[in-house]
């Protein structure tokens, strides 16, 4: 097995570890603010700080994906457990709505402000849920189109011919060039899909926060980020246990 990381994998892994540590600090602040009485301006400032942290993540991610998009389909910085919950390289937009549903019916938390969502807010969230589902399906259709093009008859034929010619042969060089051009186009297509999927995630986050009040936004962000962090902690713990038991753990490969 090759354990060597590419340059993009190395750089993004290092960035991601620092980013998650900062995210944990933000969660602690969110949880504290959720329990305290602070003015709306201070609460909104914290929400903006958290959303800016997410924007930084996607800026760095897109720069990395431009260099090596396949690294984000087999992310070495995530555990297999985290990978199992991904939708096209990142978190599922539906998770945001599941968190809201859970908070709305959770009666054990008297300070949970989402329990008091108005009928108008509930309707807006439901409208957003439908809109996001349609956009998600659109991205999935494009992803399917990219996967089909990977097995396109012309691509297969080019690869077959290139494998049959002698190394250094002029015809072989031409065929290798054609295969390289075709692959570059496919990778550009995958990069567009990743950005489109992230766009759906960002629209989900912005759409939800636009509907919620600043204090509701704090409770929502605290819940969804805590969920992501706990999933990461559990995934890391499983990795350590599997490695201690001598089980080989690798992320799934892109087919």
């Amino acid at each position: 097995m090759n354990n060597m990381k590419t340059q993009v994998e190395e750089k993004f892994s290092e960035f991601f570890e620092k980013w998650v540590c900062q995210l944990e600090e933000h969660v602690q602040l969110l949880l504290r603010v959720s329990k305290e009485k602070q003015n709306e301006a201070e609460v909104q400032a914290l929400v903006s700080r958290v959303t800016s942290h997410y924007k930084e993540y996607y800026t760095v991610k897109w720069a990395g994906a431009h260099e090596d998009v396949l690294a984000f389909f087999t992310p070495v910085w995530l555990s297999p457990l985290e990978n199992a919950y991904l939708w096209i390289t990142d978190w599922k937009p539906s998770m945001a709505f599941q968190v809201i549903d859970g908070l709305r019916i959770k009666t054990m938390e008297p300070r949970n402000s989402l329990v008091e969502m108005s009928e108008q807010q509930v309707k807006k969230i439901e409208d957003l849920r439908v809109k996001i589902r349609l956009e998600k399906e659109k991205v999935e259709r494009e992803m399917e189109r990219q996967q089909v093009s990977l097995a396109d008859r012309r691509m297969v034929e080019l690869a077959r011919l290139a494998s049959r010619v002698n190394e250094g042969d002029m015809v072989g060089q031409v065929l290798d060039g054609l295969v390289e051009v075709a692959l570059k186009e496919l990778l550009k297509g995958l990069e567009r899909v990743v950005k489109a999927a992230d766009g759906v995630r960002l629209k989900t986050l912005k759409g939800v926060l636009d509907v919620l009040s600043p204090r509701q936004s704090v409770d929502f962000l605290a819940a969804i980020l805590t969920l992501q962090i706990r999933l990461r902690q559990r995934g890391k713990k499983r990795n350590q246990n599997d490695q201690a038991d001598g089980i080989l753990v690798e992320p799934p490969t892109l087919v």
Side-chain angles (χ1 to χ4, degrees), residues 23-88:
L23 190 68
E24 290 173 349
E25 292 174 8
H26 286 314
V27 168
Q28 292 307 312
L29 278 173
L30 288 166
L31 291 171
R32 193 171 73 210
V33 167
S34 179
K35 297 174 183 177
E36 297 174 353
K37 287 186 177 180
Q38 295 190 8
N39 64 57
E40 291 288 287
E42 291 175 327
V43 175
Q44 186 58 56
L46 177 57
V47 171
S48 297
R49 204 182 314 161
V50 175
T51 54
S52 294
H53 189 58
Y54 257 98
K55 288 175 184 176
E56 179 195 9
Y57 166 80
Y58 285 110
T59 299
V60 176
K61 178 184 176 182
W62 290 345
H66 184 66
E67 290 184 55
D68 181 10
V69 68
L70 294 182
F72 293 85
F73 281 92
T74 55
V76 296
W77 48 88
L78 298 181
S79 65
L81 180 62
E82 290 170 285
N83 279 329
Y85 284 90
L86 295 185
W87 172 72
I88 308 182

Side-chain angles (χ1 to χ4, degrees), residues 114-131:
L114 272 80
V115 172
E116 301 169 356
M117 283 178 66
S118 68
E119 289 184 13
Q120 186 180 20
Q121 283 181 309
V122 172
K123 185 182 184 306
K124 285 182 178 180
I125 289 295
E126 289 308 308
D127 290 343
L128 180 65
R129 192 195 303 255
V130 172
K131 179 184 175 183

